[in-house]
Amino acid sequence: MKDIIFNVFILVTIIPCFWVALSSNIVHAAFSLLITLFGIAGLYVLLGADFIGVVQVIVYIGGILVLIIFGVMMTQRGKLLPLSIQLPGKVFAAVLTGVILVALLLVATRSLWPVASVLGEPQPTSAAIGDLLLGKYLIPFEVASVLLLAALVGAVLIVRRSVRGE
Amino acid sequence: MSYSLPSFLVVSSLLFCLGMYTVLTRRNAIGILMGIELVLNGAGLNFVAFSRFLEPSQTTNLLSGQVFTLFIIAVAAAEVAVALAIVLSLYSRMKTIDVEEFKQLQG
Amino acid sequence: MAKLIDPQHMKSILWLIPCLPLAGAVINGLLGRRLPARLIHFIGCASVFMAFLVSVAGFFTLLGIEEPQQRLLIQSLYQWILTGSFSLEVAFRLDPLSMVLCLVVTGVGFLIHLYSVGYMAGDESQGRYFAYLNLFTFSMLLLVLGDNLLLMFVGWEGVGLCSYLLIGFWFTDLEKAQAGMKAFIVNRVGDFGFFVGLMLLFWTLFEGSNGTMTGLSFQQLREGIPLLGTARPILGVGVATWVALLFFFGATGKSAQIPLYIWLPDAMAGPTPVSAFIHAATMVTAGVYMIVRLNFLYVAAPVAMAVVAVVGGVTAFYAATIALTQNDIKRVLAYSTISQLGYMFLAVGVAAFSTGIFHLVTHAFFKALLFLGAGSVIHAVHSNDMQEMGGLKKYMPHTYLTFMAAYLAISGIPPLSGFMSKDEILWATFNSHLPVAGLGKALWALGLLTAGLTAFYMTRLVVLTFMGSFRGGSEKEKHLHESPSVMTLPLMALAVLSVAGGVIGLPAVTHLPNLLHDFLGPVLSSHGTSGHQAHAYGLEVLLMLISTGVAATGIYLGWLFYVKRPELPAKLAARFASLYQVLNEKYYVDEIYQALFVRPLLKLVALSGRFDLNTIDGAVNLSSRVTVKFAFLIGWEDLKIVDGAVNGLADIFKRWGAALRRLQTGRVQHYLYSVVLGIFLLSVAMIMF
């Protein structure tokens, strides 16, 4: 049963991914990305990472993806351009990524990972992650908060300047 | 596929490579952004998978992997905010978001 | 007494006390510009008056509860912070202590709001004024009613903010804006101490309690205090003492004690009702209230208590000496306030908590009256300088009469309220058991001396202001007038309170019950009643006679100096020129702080600026100059000898550059390609090796 659910989530993750990469309609690509991100959130939950799963849904889908869709909608005026580059470039890119994919798959399947012999039941993670964030990883955590603030201010500044420039 | 570490690694490899392909082949700046999101998600999935499957030990806290994924999500949020600001700003100036058109930096 | 109001009903409307002024602040703050002045006045005064009514209802509810230990109403509004086993609630606590403060804040506050209507008439931004004043009332009530330390801290910061806003109310005047900032910054220094104390207390309690501590409410703190005794001492001093001292440091900021009193005299830049309300009657007493509220903590830290007593006693004396020579009527009153606050800290320092509160209450009456009277005078004369006043008795009879009541009260003339409370403090100090032998007696002597000084400078103030003939010029004299009744009515009400307020704390020798002491009893640690246990009536009467004698001497000297022989002060000033100078310049403390803290800080800023300008820029310039020189040298040689070779080399680089230049296509995609190519090469390398 678990394997079935697991495989369903993998399919939900991977298939829309091809649309993201190959679709000739940017709106379709954006919505495919939405499904992919949902699938990944599901995989996180299957991995016992409940907190990350929820964060994935809230931040990625609720925040980042909505931003992207907004971006798509706000830049669709004017002439429609081909979404991707010409064929020769595509072939080159496909070869490149193909080689990297083969290398990655080999590493993934052939390596001897120090895997735990018995998998424990997943425990609730929120409290433990909170401890880590405010303990061991306090400084990265604070730096990340400063980064987010800087990004916020920077984003506003960039857009404002361009508006004022008009 | 079975519920094991290599399966997750395969999925994340696929995510990574499809993301990379998207980044390489899109002319649309927002399309490139989507590719980057896929790449970041592949990496995040890897971290969480390792934090689930690796042998626990005294010295390391496996939850660190999840914390890193959190940081990845935070960085992605910052990146998208700034990138979209740049894209919108470029759009208002150049009336397009086709990266082939942006070549003022040509040496 | 019959139950007039059901305690359960009272409990459910406690929130009205702070929130009515808050509502007034919101309305006046948001709509103040559009509302007519009359409506602003009505909202401002009515909100506080209604809070006063609710407080009175609360008072009778408390009295209606037969068992004194049960006189406690707590209304819990909602859960504020919840982490693990720790929770904080927004809850209001009405017990006898907060009840007394509530009545003072809303009662005196209402009178001052009313007075402000007359005082601020014609000002352009009355909406803002009343909004700030209401907001202050809210913050003060929050401070008083808050059931846990953190909520109290919110109020503590809130009153500081409002004080800043109101001191700098006329912010277009640079000096006044600066006075506001000074008050704010000096208060921040104290608040920092308070906050560190709060964190230390929090940390120690939660470390030591193994999870049995679940909040910071005063009840829980009282039960948790013994834990502080078991905690590891810091630098050889017990944690309880540290916490008590840090809190007291916060109190020295808010209540203007040594070393952080310097902001209060400057704070007189604000409107006079503000000085009366915030900087005399309520906010500056927050420190005293805080110590009484945490009396269980201070009782557990005798050393901190002694420090409080000494700082209080010394501040009382010190500020009184400065008040002797000031010419600005409000500044005299400001130093007098600092001095009287010193008395209160002296009282709580010797564990006479209820006496401290008693003096807080009577002081609120007579000092608010003094300030409002001074405001009325300033309103008429348009000057703060006492040298330009005089003879106002016949122009402003109501102000004069009420002012006299406050004057006699603060000077300690029996049986006015000031006498009662001051005498009780002196009596408690005399009987105190401080850790250092003889310290109690020494502080008593200091307090007695201060009482004499107080009588003296207040006499000086009254004589210079109201007696003799007007010195402000005949032009101004024509315009002298009594203030409107909206201003004199609050004066009269306060005058009645100043005269009769003493009945709530009659001395033991009268064999009548000390109402305030009995009322506050349940809130205070049993230890705090030591001053009243063994009564030596003969001694008490003797001490009373002594202090009355000292006050009378002070008044006599003042009369002698400024009425009978007015040439005497100048002579004395000439005789002891250096002492006079030091007093007149307020011991140069502002200058010392300026030199010790402010200027070094500014220097540091300037220094780092100059470091950047001279050292770093200098290094850069130097290197560039050296390079230029060197280049000249080389260039000369270059031209002659290696020119050809160099040109050849340059050509090579130029051609390479032209080739590499093409790599910089300016296209994002191409850059991405190079990144991926790098990954690709790494992958290939990984597979191969």
Side-chain angles (χ1 to χ4, degrees):
Chain A
M1 184 64 194
K2 196 173 186 180
D3 274 354
I4 296 172
I5 298 173
F6 173 58
N7 281 311
V8 167
F9 271 117
I10 287 180
L11 291 180
V12 167
T13 306
I14 294 299
I15 292 172
C17 222
F18 282 94
W19 252 268
V20 177
L22 304 174
S23 163
S24 58
N25 184 330
I26 186 83
V27 179
H28 289 185
F31 279 94
S32 309
L33 185 63
L34 174 79
I35 301 169
T36 297
L37 294 178
F38 256 121
I40 291 171
L43 288 178
Y44 283 155
V45 173
L46 279 182
L47 281 168
D50 51 352
F51 185 68
I52 306 287
V54 172
V55 170
Q56 170 91 359
V57 172
I58 293 173
V59 177
Y60 247 112
I61 299 170
I64 297 176
L65 199 74
V66 168
L67 257 185
I68 287 182
I69 292 176
F70 264 116
V72 168
M73 291 194 294
M74 289 174 77
T75 53
Q76 285 302 299
R77 283 173 295 161
K79 55 182 178 174
L80 276 175
L81 287 159
L83 207 52
S84 298
I85 53 175
Q86 306 297 319
L87 194 64
K90 275 185 184 166
V91 172
F92 182 53
V95 171
L96 262 180
T97 43
V99 172
I100 293 171
L101 180 65
V102 169
L104 283 178
L105 290 180
L106 283 178
V107 172
T109 51
R110 295 286 165 83
S111 305
L112 292 170
W113 302 108
V115 174
S117 44
V118 183
L119 272 186
E121 277 299 302
Q123 302 294 323
T125 57
S126 314
I129 287 179
D131 269 347
L132 276 178
L133 278 182
L134 291 180
K136 193 176 172 190
Y137 294 104
L138 181 62
I139 291 177
F141 179 65
E142 292 300 331
V143 171
S145 68
V146 173
L147 172 77
L148 282 173
L149 181 68
L152 184 79
V153 176
V156 170
L157 204 67
I158 290 169
V159 174
R160 261 188 56 143
R161 195 175 287 161
S162 73
V163 168
R164 210 187 287 156
E166 274 182 356
Chain B
M1 282 195 280
S2 66
Y3 182 74
S4 64
L5 181 59
S7 334
F8 280 99
L9 296 186
V10 167
V11 173
S12 67
S13 306
L14 274 170
L15 280 173
F16 180 83
C17 290
L18 282 168
M20 205 158 70
Y21 179 81
T22 316
V23 168
L24 288 183
T25 55
R26 288 292 186 212
R27 291 174 62 178
N28 184 313
I30 293 178
I32 294 179
L33 270 186
M34 293 183 194
I36 294 174
E37 294 312 314
L38 285 183
V39 170
L40 288 174
N41 266 290
L45 188 59
N46 250 358
F47 273 116
V48 177
F50 279 120
S51 94
R52 171 80 174 123
F53 288 104
L54 287 192
E55 180 80 60
S57 76
Q58 291 295 324
T59 51
T60 54
N61 187 341
L62 282 181
L63 273 179
S64 294
Q66 301 197 10
V67 174
F68 273 93
T69 305
L70 270 185
F71 283 133
I72 288 176
I73 293 177
V75 170
E79 167 246 316
V80 164
V82 174
L84 275 177
I86 293 174
V87 167
L88 287 185
S89 163
L90 277 173
Y91 183 71
S92 72
R93 183 166 303 198
M94 319 260 298
K95 299 293 164 228
T96 177
I97 53 168
D98 184 354
V99 291
E100 307 244 314
E101 302 278 328
F102 305 149
K103 47 192 174 191
Q104 283 88 341
L105 274 179
Q106 187 166 17
Chain C
M1 190 177 291
K3 273 190 190 176
L4 294 173
I5 305 160
D6 185 4
Q8 291 307 322
H9 288 174
M10 190 60 222
K11 207 184 260 190
S12 60
I13 59 168
L14 268 187
W15 62 276
L16 279 174
I17 300 179
C19 289
L20 281 168
L22 179 65
V26 170
I27 296 172
N28 273 341
L30 294 181
L31 305 173
R33 278 188 208 173
R34 282 178 222 145
L35 295 179
R38 279 182 172 281
L39 195 56
I40 291 174
H41 297 155
F42 177 76
I43 292 169
C45 296
S47 62
V48 178
F49 185 65
M50 286 194 288
F52 176 64
L53 288 182
V54 179
S55 302
V56 170
F59 179 63
F60 283 111
T61 315
L62 282 188
L63 282 186
I65 300 173
E66 298 290 336
E67 178 60 41
Q69 294 295 337
Q70 303 291 323
R71 285 177 182 166
L72 169 66
L73 302 175
I74 293 181
Q75 185 190 17
S76 176
L77 289 181
Y78 67 93
Q79 196 151 44
W80 184 15
I81 296 171
L82 174 69
T83 59
S85 63
F86 172 71
S87 76
L88 270 185
E89 284 180 342
V90 174
F92 295 128
R93 174 195 184 91
L94 194 70
D95 60 4
L97 177 58
S98 50
M99 190 67 253
V100 172
L101 266 288
C102 258
L103 287 172
V104 171
V105 172
T106 53
V108 176
F110 167 65
L111 291 176
I112 291 172
H113 275 74
L114 201 62
Y115 176 94
S116 300
V117 170
Y119 190 84
M120 298 301 286
D123 196 279
E124 283 165 13
S125 36
Q126 293 185 49
R128 189 161 59 91
Y129 175 82
F130 278 95
Y132 287 167
L133 214 55
N134 275 355
L135 189 65
F136 170 79
T137 313
F138 161 72
S139 307
M140 190 68 203
L141 289 168
L142 194 65
L143 192 164
V144 168
L145 286 169
D147 185 39
N148 58 55
L149 261 183
L150 218 57
L151 200 58
M152 183 173 166
F153 188 65
V154 172
W156 184 273
E157 292 291 319
V159 292
L161 170 71
C162 296
S163 159
Y164 157 75
L165 290 172
L166 281 165
I167 294 170
F169 180 71
W170 288 307
F171 56 81
T172 45
D173 183 338
L174 183 65
E175 201 175 312
K176 289 171 176 168
Q178 277 173 344
M181 275 195 275
K182 183 174 177 183
F184 196 69
I185 291 169
V186 174
N187 261 306
R188 301 292 327 148
V189 176
D191 293 350
F192 175 72
F194 190 102
F195 197 69
V196 172
L198 187 63
M199 284 296 129
L200 184 62
L201 181 69
F202 175 82
W203 195 28
T204 318
L205 285 183
F206 285 85
E207 199 94 322
S209 72
N210 292 325
T212 51
M213 279 297 286
T214 54
L216 280 177
S217 82
F218 292 117
Q219 191 58 39
Q220 288 163 321
L221 286 180
R222 182 188 279 256
E223 285 154 10
I225 285 303
L227 287 170
L228 290 182
T230 61
R232 199 156 47 88
I234 303 168
L235 298 176
V237 178
V239 175
T241 308
W242 272 113
V243 173
L245 283 177
L246 284 165
F247 280 160
F248 177 59
F249 187 65
T252 61
K254 192 94 0 192
S255 298
Q257 298 292 294
I258 293 173
L260 295 178
Y261 68 89
I262 47 165
W263 64 270
L264 188 60
D266 287 357
M268 296 301 131
T272 307
V274 170
S275 308
F277 191 23
I278 300 184
H279 305 120
T282 53
M283 182 188 89
V284 288
T285 61
V288 181
Y289 167 76
M290 185 268 295
I291 290 182
V292 177
R293 173 55 83 198
L294 296 175
N295 60 75
F296 45 85
L297 169 69
Y298 279 83
V299 168
V303 178
M305 289 276 273
V307 172
V308 173
V310 170
V311 170
V314 172
T315 308
F317 176 73
Y318 170 86
T321 58
I322 299 179
L324 293 178
T325 61
Q326 298 301 310
N327 275 330
D328 182 325
I329 185 170
K330 285 181 75 181
R331 272 178 184 264
V332 176
L333 292 177
Y335 281 108
S336 163
T337 305
I338 297 175
S339 171
Q340 298 295 319
L341 288 165
Y343 269 123
M344 295 175 210
F345 279 105
L346 179 60
V348 296
V350 298
F353 297 113
S354 67
T355 311
I357 293 294
F358 183 26
H359 196 55
L360 189 161
V361 173
T362 58
H363 175 257
F365 295 153
F366 62 70
K367 187 52 67 63
L369 176 52
L370 286 173
F371 265 114
L372 294 184
S376 174
V377 167
I378 293 167
H379 199 61
V381 183
H382 296 291
S383 165
N384 283 5
D385 192 350
M386 289 195 293
Q387 300 298 348
E388 294 177 16
M389 299 174 185
L392 296 175
K393 186 165 68 169
K394 61 174 179 276
Y395 299 103
M396 311 178 73
H398 295 143
T399 307
Y400 168 69
L401 278 176
T402 52
F403 204 89
M404 283 307 281
Y407 155 64
L408 292 175
I410 190 176
S411 301
I413 298 301
L416 276 69
S417 61
F419 166 78
M420 302 278 189
S421 54
K422 194 186 287 182
D423 206 61
E424 209 176 307
I425 291 176
L426 291 177
W427 169 242
T429 313
F430 192 80
N431 278 338
S432 63
H433 311 285
L434 289 171
V436 182
L439 188 57
K441 305 283 185 295
L443 287 172
W444 171 75
L446 201 60
L448 200 62
L449 198 55
T450 310
L453 290 175
T454 310
F456 178 80
Y457 69 69
M458 285 312 298
T459 309
R460 172 175 179 265
L461 188 147
V462 167
V463 170
L464 286 180
T465 311
F466 291 103
M467 312 292 183
S469 54
F470 189 65
R471 293 182 296 276
S474 56
E475 185 54 37
K476 261 187 175 175
E477 192 165 1
K478 284 178 207 152
H479 298 291
L480 291 179
H481 56 89
E482 179 61 280
S483 301
S485 56
V486 70
M487 283 165 75
T488 52
L489 281 177
L491 292 180
M492 290 170 195
L494 283 169
V496 171
L497 289 170
S498 299
V499 170
V503 297
I504 57 171
L506 293 173
V509 69
T510 57
H511 292 281
L512 292 169
N514 185 329
L515 299 173
L516 185 73
H517 185 76
D518 295 342
F519 186 57
L520 288 178
V523 190
L524 305 175
S525 300
S526 55
H527 187 83
T529 58
S530 61
H532 281 263
Q533 273 158 5
H535 274 116
Y537 292 123
L539 188 60
E540 192 179 359
V541 172
L542 181 66
L543 290 185
M544 271 184 188
L545 288 177
I546 292 177
S547 71
T548 312
V550 168
T553 313
I555 292 177
Y556 171 70
L557 283 178
W559 177 76
L560 184 72
F561 271 42
Y562 293 96
V563 181
K564 190 112 182 288
R565 302 177 60 188
E567 77 283 359
L568 216 52
K571 266 189 194 163
L572 270 181
R575 182 84 189 276
F576 302 101
S578 54
L579 181 65
Y580 180 80
Q581 181 73 10
V582 167
L583 286 182
N584 204 25
E585 294 296 331
K586 305 152 228 160
Y587 294 95
Y588 295 100
V589 168
D590 271 320
E591 285 76 9
I592 292 170
Y593 281 3
Q594 188 80 15
L596 272 183
F597 301 114
V598 180
R599 236 171 272 147
L601 206 67
L602 291 178
K603 273 220 184 91
L604 189 69
V605 172
L607 195 72
S608 56
R610 229 177 305 140
F611 179 75
D612 188 42
L613 211 68
N614 293 346
T615 318
I616 296 181
D617 285 11
V620 173
N621 285 344
L622 188 72
S623 74
S624 71
R625 226 172 293 143
V626 169
T627 316
V628 168
K629 286 264 161 63
F630 200 59
F632 268 120
L633 203 70
I634 301 277
W636 178 79
E637 196 188 5
D638 199 58
L639 268 174
K640 305 280 174 196
I641 303 163
V642 282
D643 212 21
V646 169
N647 272 347
L649 204 63
D651 254 6
I652 294 172
F653 276 115
K654 211 170 159 186
R655 239 167 267 157
W656 267 93
L660 284 175
R661 185 167 159 251
R662 248 168 262 150
L663 270 181
Q664 295 293 328
T665 57
R667 293 195 188 174
V668 189
Q669 216 94 48
H670 294 173
Y671 298 130
L672 289 173
Y673 262 116
S674 60
V675 172
V676 176
L677 211 62
I679 303 174
F680 171 78
L681 289 177
L682 281 176
S683 309
V684 169
M686 215 158 88
I687 293 172
M688 305 263 278
F689 312 109

